[in-house]
Amino acid sequence: MSDSVARLQGVRLDYGKTRALDGIDLTVPAGCMVGLLGPDGVGKSSLLALISGSRRIQQGSVQVLGGDMAERGHRNQVCPRIAYMPQGLGRNLYPTLSVEENLQFFARLFGHGQAERRRRIDHLTRATGLHGFLQRPAGKLSGGMKQKLGLCCALIHDPDLLILDEPTTGVDPLARAQFWELIADIRRQRPGMSVLVATAYMDEAQGFDWLVAMDAGRILATGTPAELLEQTGSTSLEQAFVALLPEERKRDHAPVVIPPLDVDENDIAIEAKNLVLRFGDFVAVKDVSFRIRRGEIFGFLGSNGCGKTTTMKMLTGLLPASEGQAWLFGSEVSPKDIETRRRVGYMTQAFSLYSELTVRQNLVLHARLFAVPEEQIPARVEEMIQRFGLADAVDSLPSNMPLGMRQRLSLAVAMVHKPELLILDEPTSGVDPVARDAFWRLLIELSRKDGVTIFLSTHFMNEAERCDRMSMMHAGIVLDSDEPAKLVEKRGAANLEEAFVGYLLEAGAGTDQPQGELSAAPLVEQDVAVAPRRQRFSWQRMLSYLWREALELQRDPIRATLALAGSIMLMFVIGFGISLDVEDLRYAVLDRDDTSLSRDYALQLSGSRYFIEQPPLSDYQELDRRMRSGEVSLAIEIPHGFARDALAGRPVEIGAWVDGAMPQRAETLKGYVQGMHQHWLVTQLSQRGGALPTGAEIQTRFRYNPDVQSLPAMVPAVIPLLLLMIPAMLTALAVVREKETGSITNFYVTPVTRSEFLLGKQLPYVALAMVNFLLMSLLAVTVFGVPITGSFAALALAALVFSFVATGMGLLASSITRSQIAAMFFAMIGTMVPATQFSGLIDPVSSLEGAGQLIGQVYPATHMVTISRGVFSKALGLAELSGAFWVMLLSVPVIMGLAVMLLKKQER
């Protein structure tokens, strides 16, 4: 193994039904720069993820740095020797953290002390030109600077193996050149370091030591660039790659031939004049002007984020310009001008068709959306299928099609209404050379034969060279517009890329990030850079995640608002909105007797605080109507002869009609009426000289809540409810957000353990939950008027334990979900349903039966409700509530243990 850094044998990897890697056998030489060459979707990223240890091995053997990556012990041992930059601009960075804070975070994860962190950060940032931007948030860096920062974060611990997954995709040529110069300088300082790179750029692969050409999850060939060129008899790596493809993939491939353009110079399809677009204080597009002739292929060349897509959206009316004007076919661009917009076809950068619809269904849908006459749709759809080579996949779903065919489908959909202008936003990004050439032949046919004007953006130089004319764009500014050959001639450059770099330098690009001199200040000092011994639990690593999470929480106003204002608002809503008091009941009387005795009977209700008298009833029809409308909840019917029969001692029946739509309220109302009736009988008996036939008198006294009001019962129960729900939701989002953004890879490939990661994420939300508890307790006493009669220290201690329970439930939800929506749903269901149904919030746990009672007895919220009500209403302290404390305390390691066990240290 001394001559190789990695060795793979029989490696297979599947994503559902899709095979990403198919029997890979590969030995990667050590101490050199190795490139994985191929378009998107061929398995490059999957292969790098297996080598880095961030993805679980499904089948086969992966040996890296002398050991098996399937063994957890070896992965733990070598992860400090591996640095992994995942695909995507700044995907391993935290956008709200500054350059300094990102580097501090990674340095702490690898155990460096304060002085060593300072030395390394200063050396790395000076070498990469980032030292002057230490306080700038990572999210506000340019694409090239993000990649440099990502590289600094990867190199902070002196790795023996540096893995870079398409590190320069989407950055401009100048930033790309500076990035590879930096890698070369680092390799000169550390000649023993191996570098493994995935790239789709054939030109930059020419500078690598050894190449692995990949397609469809298989290895096509390996060797040095010179060996691959010699093996295929090619003059460029792109030609060599095409020659290495299986015969069925390249059968119809032919070089792209572009006929000369013959158009009317004055027939203008698109004109932009001084276009400006601002997003707040940020100017995305600055004073852009150009003209595109009808039938021309016009290219927009620039890096990601330079304003290409934004300009295109302004030209289609999707974004209103802040300043300037634009015309399509002589009509000023307006979002309301539907007729002009129907003359435009727009193909977005990302695949944006409906994945649940087949090829034919997508075409039919978009034909109808663009008002193609219904009788013409079948023929039009069939024409698109044949013209764009979709006949073999007409009933297939887009998700089951190769990337190149999906691009052809997008183009067919954009052309289904036969537009005169086609706007394509990076249409061939990630497509292999054969599919890219086939796509270009379609564009040339549309331009030269059909006279369709084509406006496309790209960051591939060989594509830009095929355009009739092009504009070079940087930082929202058009640097120059002309024919590609003339742009090269103007700069006196050897090729278009060199010309573009010259324009960028002239515009000031790169001057704010000077390249450091590594020879003057060594990037790494081998006598100091000793990898720290791995500990089973590191307080420094845990505190690093705590510090980073606290910073992100502090800088995210939405989460802070949800955490604090959300709890207060919900406490008002639930505290005042949910009431068990049955008061102010509206009633009416149907008095058919109309005597002094019947009126006296009715007066018993009108004098009660529980009832509000309404105008009397006249008949059953009115009674039914007023109860249906909700005007009255109770109707009393006093029959004819009531007074006569009552005074004569004969039985009398009084009718009480109760609204039973809410059963619990109806039962309470029934009790009120029965109590009033008994009281009236006793009063009448005593007034007429009678006596009750009882030997004892029962008097009811209510303890703890003498007025039997809802607020003293509900508010102490609402506090645990909100203390459970809000922190659980926030904690779940904090973890699963990293899965969505991709920064979870840092957890996979660094020495951080699962318990360190989860505790570091949890503790800031525990602190936030305690602030919530204090605010809600203050509201309970001051606004709701519910005094604390027991030990507040006992209540605060219980709230602290319960905060660990709540945030632990959020961590558990995030451990088994992959999206924020799913985590929110799981956290809501897992906390709110048991808390409202089984914790004694409304019904005592002792009154539940079967599984409901069992859940109530073990669910932590039950015991927190008991403690809260005991402290608020019953003047209890820690000694009296110790039983509930112990149950809650025991639930913390159970919940956290489940979260740790279910959180995976590798992606599956």
Side-chain angles (χ1 to χ4, degrees), residues 539-793:
W539 285 98
Q540 181 174 3
R541 291 195 296 260
M542 187 272 289
L543 291 173
S544 297
Y545 263 101
L546 186 155
W547 170 74
R548 202 215 77 213
E549 191 66 31
L551 284 177
E552 289 195 322
L553 185 60
Q554 176 186 345
R555 293 167 188 175
D556 187 346
I558 296 178
R559 276 193 285 174
T561 301
L562 175 62
L564 300 176
S567 297
I568 294 171
M569 289 170 56
L570 286 173
M571 187 169 182
F572 275 103
V573 170
I574 299 175
F576 286 120
I578 299 179
S579 175
L580 301 180
D581 296 336
V582 183
E583 296 180 335
D584 298 331
L585 297 167
R586 291 174 294 184
Y587 79 98
V589 177
L590 177 57
D591 190 353
R592 298 184 183 277
D593 194 50
D594 197 23
T595 61
S596 60
L597 191 63
S598 67
R599 287 191 292 273
D600 181 73
Y601 185 90
L603 284 173
Q604 297 297 309
L605 286 175
S606 65
S608 169
R609 70 181 176 94
Y610 300 111
F611 294 97
I612 300 174
E613 186 176 10
Q614 300 295 307
L617 301 166
S618 58
D619 51 34
Y620 283 130
Q621 287 77 17
E622 184 182 0
L623 182 151
D624 185 62
R625 178 179 58 79
R626 291 170 69 179
M627 291 200 77
R628 280 176 180 272
S629 66
E631 185 181 339
V632 294
S633 302
L634 170 67
I636 300 294
E637 180 187 3
I638 303 175
H640 290 293
F642 167 76
R644 181 186 67 245
D645 292 342
L647 293 175
R650 292 190 291 271
V652 178
E653 291 185 353
I654 302 292
W657 304 81
V658 180
D659 184 351
M662 299 175 65
Q664 187 173 1
R665 175 184 167 117
E667 286 293 330
T668 304
L669 182 53
K670 175 184 173 182
Y672 286 171
V673 173
Q674 289 176 338
M676 180 277 297
H677 182 74
Q678 292 296 324
H679 181 265
W680 185 82
L681 289 177
V682 170
T683 302
Q684 291 299 315
L685 189 61
S686 63
Q687 287 178 353
R688 286 166 174 72
L692 289 173
T694 56
E697 181 180 356
I698 298 176
Q699 292 186 351
T700 303
R701 297 287 186 268
F702 294 97
R703 296 192 66 188
Y704 313 126
N705 187 7
D707 296 327
V708 199
Q709 293 180 339
S710 284
L711 279 180
M714 289 300 299
V715 169
V718 168
I719 292 176
L721 181 68
L722 297 180
L723 203 56
L724 176 66
M725 181 182 71
I726 301 294
M729 289 169 55
L730 289 172
T731 312
L733 292 178
V735 177
V736 82
R737 186 189 297 109
E738 296 214 28
K739 294 182 181 181
E740 288 191 344
T741 61
S743 59
I744 192 71
T745 303
N746 296 328
F747 164 62
Y748 294 153
V749 300
T750 58
V752 180
T753 65
R754 291 177 291 182
S755 55
E756 293 163 359
F757 175 75
L758 290 178
L759 279 174
K761 302 288 277 186
Q762 180 185 33
L763 291 177
Y765 295 96
V766 170
L768 194 59
M770 289 305 295
V771 174
N772 261 335
F773 161 72
L774 294 174
L775 289 174
M776 289 189 289
S777 299
L778 183 63
L779 283 176
V781 174
T782 58
V783 177
F784 292 93
V786 181
I788 297 175
T789 60
S791 169
F792 181 74

Side-chain angles (χ1 to χ4, degrees), residues 147 284 385 443 484 514 533 683 715 749 831 850 863 868 895:
Q147 295 301 72
I385 290 172
L443 296 185
R533 184 175 62 87
T683 302
V715 169
V749 300
T831 57
H863 305 284
S868 184
I895 294 170

Side-chain angles (χ1 to χ4, degrees), residues 33 85 136 177 224 254 256 347 395 426 498 633 648 694 792 828:
M33 182 178 290
M85 261 185 72
R136 181 176 294 184
T224 65
V256 176
M347 180 175 162
D395 294 318
E426 298 193 8
E498 187 178 315
S633 302
T694 56
F792 181 74
M828 285 282 290

